[in-house]
Amino acid sequence: MFDLVGRSVLVTGGSKGIGRGIASVFARAGANVAIAARSAGSLDEAVAEVDDLGDGTVIGVRVDVSDRGSCDEMAAAAVEAFGGLDVLCANAGIFPDAPLATMTPAQLDEIMGINVHGTFFAVQACLDALTASGTGRIVLTSSITGPITGYPGWSHYGATKAAQLGFMRTAAIELAPHGITVNAILPGNILTEGLLDNGEDYLASMARSIPAGALGTPEDIGHLAAFLATREAAYITGQAIAVDGGQVLPESLDAIIT
Ligand code: NAP
């Protein structure tokens, strides 16, 4: 029923973390996958790893999503490799922390450039190909931070993640006549390489705040992305869906049953 064999998918920020999990799920489901990121080293590593997971074609594309021209080249490379494009997972993003009182204009510009402009540019670059698909799908990686929650040091980050949802709601209307859906996944705390560096105590305290009792995996995000990318998900558009083990639900730590 949910067949992704032969669907062609582009995952920005697919070389690490959540994007790599998304790319892995699509590859296992038989899709062709283009993994896009800036750094060649981690990109090559991801392509080699993901390529082993399925029968589809996997390619790597260097891109800086904050640059519109670079996004155009990325989309063209995917279309050339696969003969078209059905799905864009606009996942690339950064999350440096910066307290509001000392945040510089350059810090604000950088995060807006990658997380917000990067979302616009990646989508714009893929529009012709997604329209030609007839069943085009756009899946944004937003966050619970911004749309639902806050965290000290992340006022700029939260603003970018909320901005993606504002973008999504109008894009979904504009693109509906072309058969393209636009949805957003709001991950909670997902266990990525970056988080592992914070140590066991930090991870244990994060897990305690989640009703499901554990952090999520990149593949947890990939499974929803894969469903939203199917032809069968055609009637779901403009939706923001949290994948967070219930993290945003408790009123306090006492509300969590251990
Ligand atoms: P990550 O492990 O740091 O991976 C980020 C990916 O994005 C890498 O592939 C990185 O590769 C790429 N990237 C960064 N800047 C880029 C640019 N300008 N152009 C192209 N690619 C770029 O991060 P992550 O934790 O997986 O986060 C991925 C997405 O999930 C982000 O949008 C983030 O906001 C969201 N998210 C994460 C969590 C979490 O718990 N991890 C929770 C909620 C939301 P290069 O650096 O080589 O370009």
Side-chain angles (χ1 to χ4, degrees), residues 122-157:
V123 168
Q124 287 179 310
C126 294
L127 270 191
D128 286 348
L130 293 172
T131 301
S133 158
T135 57
R137 303 282 178 262
I138 297 169
V139 181
L140 311 177
T141 307
S142 173
S143 177
I144 58 169
T145 311
I148 305 177
T149 65
Y151 201 89
W154 273 353
S155 61
H156 58 348
Y157 174 72

Side-chain angles (χ1 to χ4, degrees), residues 12-19 36-40 42 63-66 91-95 114-115 141-145 157 161 164 186-195:
T12 70
S15 65
K16 295 182 204 154
I18 289 177
R38 291 170 302 186
S39 324
S42 46
V63 70
D64 181 345
V65 294
S66 67
N91 164 82
I94 57 168
F95 34 89
I114 295 176
N115 294 8
T141 307
S142 173
S143 177
I144 58 169
T145 311
Y157 174 72
K161 296 284 122 177
Q164 287 180 300
L186 279 51
N189 289 334
I190 305 301
L191 192 52
T192 54
E193 298 91 325
L195 274 193

Side-chain angles (χ1 to χ4, degrees), residues 12 63-68 71 74 88-93 109-125 140 164 167:
T12 70
V63 70
D64 181 345
V65 294
S66 67
D67 180 303
R68 174 62 205 265
C71 286
M74 165 184 75
L88 167 66
C89 294
N91 164 82
D109 283 346
E110 185 194 22
I111 200 162
M112 289 288 171
I114 295 176
N115 294 8
V116 181
H117 292 196
T119 299
F120 276 82
F121 294 158
V123 168
Q124 287 179 310
L140 311 177
Q164 287 180 300
F167 162 78

Side-chain angles (χ1 to χ4, degrees), residues 21-247:
I22 294 173
S24 301
V25 170
F26 276 108
R28 277 196 205 97
N32 300 315
V33 184
I35 299 176
R38 291 170 302 186
S39 324
S42 46
L43 191 54
D44 292 346
E45 213 181 275
V47 169
E49 183 188 284
V50 174
D51 198 19
D52 283 342
L53 301 176
D55 294 332
T57 304
V58 178
I59 63 162
V61 186
R62 300 275 303 277
V63 70
D64 181 345
V65 294
S66 67
D67 180 303
R68 174 62 205 265
S70 181
C71 286
D72 288 343
E73 289 169 19
M74 165 184 75
V79 169
E80 192 185 330
F82 305 141
L85 186 67
D86 303 297
V87 183
L88 167 66
C89 294
N91 164 82
I94 57 168
F95 34 89
D97 60 48
L100 185 54
T102 55
M103 188 186 300
T104 65
Q107 287 173 314
L108 191 53
D109 283 346
E110 185 194 22
I111 200 162
M112 289 288 171
I114 295 176
N115 294 8
V116 181
H117 292 196
T119 299
F120 276 82
F121 294 158
V123 168
Q124 287 179 310
C126 294
L127 270 191
D128 286 348
L130 293 172
T131 301
S133 158
T135 57
R137 303 282 178 262
I138 297 169
V139 181
L140 311 177
T141 307
S142 173
S143 177
I144 58 169
T145 311
I148 305 177
T149 65
Y151 201 89
W154 273 353
S155 61
H156 58 348
Y157 174 72
T160 67
K161 296 284 122 177
Q164 287 180 300
L165 301 191
F167 162 78
M168 171 187 74
R169 294 189 177 104
T170 291
I173 297 171
E174 288 190 23
L175 302 181
H178 304 291
I180 300 172
T181 67
V182 193
N183 292 289
I185 301 177
L186 279 51
N189 289 334
I190 305 301
L191 192 52
T192 54
E193 298 91 325
L195 274 193
L196 278 174
D197 296 342
N198 292 329
E200 287 297 322
D201 289 350
Y202 176 80
L203 294 177
S205 99
M206 279 181 124
R208 276 198 296 279
S209 68
I210 302 170
L215 276 72
T217 66
E219 285 75 15
D220 286 328
I221 308 306
H223 292 135
L224 177 56
F227 172 67
L228 292 171
T230 59
R231 296 175 187 84
E232 289 79 6
Y235 210 53
I236 303 169
T237 196
Q239 299 307 304
I241 305 171
V243 178
D244 69 346
Q247 187 177 342

